[in-house]
Every structure is written in structure tokens, then in C-alpha cells.
Amino acid sequence: MSKKKHPEHVNHERWLVSYADFITLLFAFFVVLFASSQSDKKKQLKLSEAMQTAFTPLGTFDAHSKTPPLTDINASAITNSIPSPIVRPLPSSSSAESPQETLEETEARLLKLIAQQVAAGGIPPGGIAMRITPDGLVISLHEAGFFPSGSAEVRPASIPMISILATTLPAGPLRVEGHTDNVPIHTLQFASNWELSTARSTAIARLLLERGPINPANLAAAGYAEFHPVASNDTEDGRTQNRRVDIILLRKQAASQ
């Protein structure tokens, strides 16, 4: 008589094998992610160190106490690669001049500067004349060197000379006067010599303010047309001298009038 077979026992815990495999793979996956993140942190740390060292000489970033500095070789290489700022000397201003400078001393100093500009071709010979009057030191800018005929537009080549005057004139009251000859003018821009002389004086006054440390409260501009000549209008040479803009460094008593 054959033995009775017992029913096969079903193992209900086989899922543990699959679960263990899944946990193992998941653990391995997180280990890989962790290792990758640690590598990225090292790269970020190196980048942070390089930026800190590079910007430290400029005072842009504060040094971080937890971040170790780069080696001396790398730090010096980065520092040397940063160009040094170019320091340009500032132009001399009116405040730098001695307040005790006489008009004669100012005239002599300006004559040297004018001679340098003439030699460099900045202004033609005879483009500027100076004289001392009871009102003060008069610097005459003749039309031929600074304005086209019948125009109040300053010649670009003469602007450097005006800049020099703006930065080297002693501090004090200034009056800019426009003058013409007695030849009438009537154009679309200027109806008379009054308008032309006034436009020229204000053009020079504006450049003096733009190019130097002149106090606007100490500056005045006026147009006198042909009524204050320095030479006879009967000759061409005389009319040339009369077409001018005068920058007057006023004496104190003249400025108070």
C-alpha cells in the first residue's frame, strides 16, 4: 500500500528575498549619490577658495574663517593676474595756486602755457594776447584762433587751451566779454553784433565752467558788440584785434563795482 503524499507546503516568505535585493540595490544607489555629492562639494570648495583669494586684494569679499586659503603659489599667481589700477595725476586747479600770486606773476605763468600750446599747434601765433588794466588781467582770445568768422561755435582745436585756462586761473571773480568790429552782421542766427558778441562770451564761459573748478558765482558774461574797441576799425588789422573774447581776472575793487 502506497504512502499517502502530504500536500506541499507553500513558503509565504519568499518575498523577503526580493525585498532584500531591492533594499540592497537602493542602498547602493544612495551610496553612489552620496559619493557624487561629496565630489561636487570638493569642486565647489576649490572654486570658493579661488574666488576668495582672487578678490581679497580688492577688498571685495571678506575672508571666511572656515575656508582654508589657497597655497602661496596659487594665491600669488591669481593676485599677480589682477591689473593694478592706473593712477592719473589730476590737473592743477585754481585752489592749488597761491592766493598771493600777483597779476604780473599770473601773466608770466600763463604766457609760458600759451607758448607751449602755440608750439604744439593748439592755437595759431597771436591767437591770445594779455594785458594788465585797472580792472585786472585781460586775456584776449582773438576770433582767428577760437571762432570761425560770424560764428559763436568754438573751434575744436582751441578747446584744450580753454581747458588749460579753466584749470590754472587763480580763484577769484572773472568776467567774460564778447567784442566785435564795426562791420554790421545780419544772418539767420545773429541779427546784430550784440547777439554775436553775447553768444561768443557765453560759449567761452560755459567751457570754463565745464572744464575747470571755477565757481559759477564768480563768473559773469556780457556782450559789448563793437562799442569797446582796442584798435581802430579803419584798418583790417585793427578790426582783427577788435574781434575777440576777453577773459578778465578782476581785481577785488573792480569786482565789487
Side-chain angles (χ1 to χ4, degrees):
M1 183 175 179
S2 62
K3 294 182 179 181
K4 186 179 180 180
K5 294 184 178 179
H6 296 283
E8 185 177 353
H9 178 70
V10 179
N11 188 355
H12 296 284
E13 296 180 354
R14 292 184 60 185
W15 63 271
L16 291 175
V17 177
S18 299
Y19 178 77
D21 292 339
F22 172 77
I23 293 298
T24 302
L25 292 175
L26 191 63
F27 176 78
F29 174 74
F30 280 109
V31 168
V32 172
L33 288 181
F34 179 78
S36 301
S37 65
Q38 292 300 313
S39 176
D40 291 341
K41 285 184 179 179
K42 291 181 181 179
K43 293 180 181 179
Q44 292 176 1
L45 181 60
K46 289 183 179 180
L47 178 60
S48 173
E49 292 171 355
M51 292 183 66
Q52 175 189 339
T53 306
F55 285 102
T56 296
L58 300 179
T60 306
F61 296 145
D62 293 331
H64 200 289
S65 59
K66 295 183 179 180
T67 304
L70 295 179
T71 61
D72 293 340
I73 297 178
N74 293 336
S76 60
I78 296 175
T79 303
N80 293 334
S81 66
I82 302 175
S84 300
I86 300 175
V87 180
R88 302 181 185 278
L90 296 176
S92 59
S93 62
S94 58
S95 61
E97 303 296 338
S98 172
Q100 303 300 323
E101 186 179 53
T102 65
L103 293 179
E104 290 77 12
E105 291 171 341
T106 301
E107 181 182 24
R109 177 170 55 80
L110 293 179
L111 283 173
K112 293 181 180 178
L113 296 175
I114 293 170
Q116 295 173 359
Q117 283 297 305
V118 172
I123 55 174
I128 298 182
M130 280 188 282
R131 66 186 188 278
I132 296 178
T133 69
D135 285 345
L137 175 62
V138 180
I139 306 168
S140 293
L141 313 180
H142 292 155
E143 177 194 67
F146 292 86
F147 297 97
S149 179
S151 172
E153 190 75 21
V154 180
R155 295 182 186 274
S158 63
I159 291 180
M161 184 68 246
I162 299 175
S163 300
I164 292 175
L165 292 175
T167 56
T168 58
L169 285 173
L174 296 173
R175 186 170 68 232
V176 183
E177 300 176 351
H179 300 274
T180 67
D181 58 22
N182 65 347
V183 177
I185 183 174
H186 185 75
T187 64
L188 293 176
Q189 188 175 7
F190 304 110
S192 68
N193 284 328
W194 287 108
E195 284 86 351
L196 175 61
S197 62
T198 303
R200 285 180 171 179
S201 66
T202 53
I204 296 298
R206 184 180 69 252
L207 283 174
L208 290 175
L209 291 175
E210 291 175 353
R211 304 282 171 154
I214 296 175
N215 185 355
N218 290 337
L219 185 63
Y224 290 92
E226 69 267 24
F227 299 104
H228 288 261
V230 293
S232 173
N233 280 311
D234 296 333
T235 64
E236 180 59 34
D237 181 65
R239 290 190 292 271
T240 299
Q241 296 182 51
N242 290 332
R243 296 191 297 266
R244 70 197 190 278
V245 173
D246 290 341
I247 302 174
I248 306 177
L249 178 60
L250 297 169
R251 301 178 190 269
K252 291 183 179 180
Q253 59 270 26
S256 61
Q257 295 177 355

